[in-house]
């Protein structure tokens, strides 16, 4: 078979070749865009996954700290309801020694990328509750620091303890010592009782956030790994109460 090269319309061929070049350029552009888009989506997905892990980790640590603080505010292995019902300030202060390891909020606050993730999925209620828990934790920390100094001052006005019973101090002040120390004991007792009330509130709020975290995040990010927070603080408190009743 012979090709009549002279019969070929080279102008049309040039147009054809030019068209192929344009098509190739377009395909390269589309391919490049698709690759860039995949990279962008992967990057966004990685950022979301990292933010989810960080929120989960901070929530877990804050909830654990809240639970530990509340346990420390329940001396003599008695439940918090018992201590919230005590009205004698001397008894309250004598039983509750200062807590050295006060809760810290430095690593619990959510950074912008974590807050923005929650806002983007319209979980403002979760963000608000969590942020309030962080602030409440800071108030508890300051209250425990305040109580420590008040505790020391009250006991500077009372006689030296006679004995220790179940980690509680046994005192035997006379009437004059009681009259002197009583007003300051009232102030110290008020501070620690307020800390107990805030601790109970924090445990309840953080328990609710922790137990609902997996369901909430899975609803919005079904393709990502959502950790489960196996932490039921109410159950732990109930066990503490049951143990105290048994004792």
């Amino acid at each position: 078979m012979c090709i009549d090269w002279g019969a070929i319309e080279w102008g049309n061929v040039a147009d054809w070749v030019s068209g192929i070049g344009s098509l190739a350029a377009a395909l390269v552009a589309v391919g490049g865009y698709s690759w860039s888009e995949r990279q962008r989506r992967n990057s966004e997905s990685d950022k979301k996954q990292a933010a989810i892990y960080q929120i989960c980790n901070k929530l877990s640590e804050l909830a654990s700290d809240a639970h530990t603080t509340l346990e420390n505010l329940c001396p003599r292995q008695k439940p918090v309801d018992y201590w919230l019902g005590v009205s004698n300030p001397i008894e309250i202060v004598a039983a509750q020694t200062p807590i050295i390891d006060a809760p810290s909020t430095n690593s619990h606050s959510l950074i912008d990328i974590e807050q923005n993730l929650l806002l983007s999925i319209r979980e403002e209620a979760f963000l608000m509750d969590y942020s309030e828990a962080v602030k409440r934790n800071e108030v508890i920390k300051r209250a425990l620091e305040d109580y420590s100094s008040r505790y020391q001052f009250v006991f500077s006005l009372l006689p030296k303890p006679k004995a220790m019973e179940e980690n509680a101090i046994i005192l035997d002040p006379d009437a004059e010592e009681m009259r002197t120390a009583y007003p300051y004991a009232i102030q110290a007792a008020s501070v620690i009782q307020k800390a107990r009330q805030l601790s109970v509130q924090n445990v309840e709020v953080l328990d609710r956030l922790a137990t609902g975290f997996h369901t909430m995040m899975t609803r919005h990010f079904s393709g990502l790994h959502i950790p489960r927070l196996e932490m039921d603080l109410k159950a732990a408190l109930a066990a503490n109460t049951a143990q105290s009743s048994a004792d």
Side-chain angles (χ1 to χ4, degrees):
M1 179 179 180
C2 294
I3 298 176
D4 186 359
W5 297 102
I8 297 177
E9 297 181 4
W10 292 106
N12 291 340
V13 171
D15 293 340
W16 181 66
V17 171
S18 176
I20 291 178
S22 298
L23 177 61
L27 290 176
V28 169
V30 170
Y33 172 79
S34 298
W35 181 85
S36 298
E37 183 65 12
R38 283 197 301 273
Q39 290 294 102
R40 184 187 67 80
R41 289 180 180 177
N42 289 339
S43 177
E44 289 182 356
S45 180
D46 289 343
K47 290 179 181 178
K48 290 177 181 177
Q49 182 70 79
I52 289 171
Y53 283 153
Q54 286 300 314
I55 296 170
C56 179
N57 184 58
K58 291 177 180 180
L59 173 58
S60 175
E61 290 182 352
L62 183 59
S64 179
D65 284 354
H67 189 209
T68 300
T69 299
L70 185 55
E71 286 182 341
N72 290 334
L73 288 170
C74 298
R76 301 183 185 175
Q77 296 184 331
K78 293 186 180 296
V80 67
D81 289 345
Y82 170 86
W83 289 111
L84 289 175
V86 175
S87 59
N88 185 334
I90 295 295
E91 180 183 355
I92 293 172
V93 175
Q96 182 66 62
T97 56
I99 298 174
I100 298 175
D101 296 327
S104 173
T105 58
N106 293 337
S107 62
H108 298 147
S109 298
L110 300 181
I111 62 175
D112 288 346
I113 191 172
E114 295 153 8
Q115 295 182 31
N116 291 337
L117 177 71
L118 292 169
L119 291 174
S120 71
I121 58 177
R122 305 187 66 81
E123 292 294 348
E124 295 91 347
F126 180 98
L127 177 58
M128 182 177 296
D129 287 343
Y130 182 87
S131 299
E132 286 298 319
V134 172
K135 293 177 182 177
R136 200 177 295 115
N137 203 47
E138 182 63 28
V139 172
I140 294 169
K141 176 183 177 181
R142 291 197 298 267
L144 295 179
E145 292 172 348
D146 182 25
Y147 176 76
S148 179
S149 60
R150 292 180 183 276
Y151 174 93
Q152 300 296 338
F153 184 73
V154 168
F155 276 89
S156 71
L157 302 174
L158 295 172
K160 292 184 178 180
K162 286 189 172 183
M164 293 283 290
E165 182 179 292
E166 295 181 354
N167 296 324
I169 296 173
I170 306 301
L171 299 172
D172 187 21
D174 59 30
E176 182 60 29
E177 290 168 332
M178 282 290 292
R179 280 194 297 269
T180 302
Y182 200 81
Y184 301 102
I186 291 175
Q187 296 172 6
S190 176
V191 169
I192 206 65
Q193 292 293 68
K194 183 62 176 178
R196 284 178 177 138
Q197 293 169 356
L198 292 175
S199 291
V200 169
Q201 188 177 357
N202 241 18
V203 163
E204 291 176 348
V205 169
L206 291 168
D207 179 44
R208 173 169 53 80
L209 295 181
T211 54
F213 180 80
H214 183 270
T215 300
M216 179 188 75
M217 285 300 186
T218 301
R219 184 168 63 248
H220 298 290
F221 304 108
S222 58
L224 299 180
H225 175 249
I226 311 299
R228 289 184 181 274
L229 286 172
E230 302 295 341
M231 180 181 296
D232 190 345
L233 302 182
K234 288 183 179 178
L237 287 178
N240 181 293
T241 302
Q243 180 62 37
S244 300
S245 300
D247 294 342

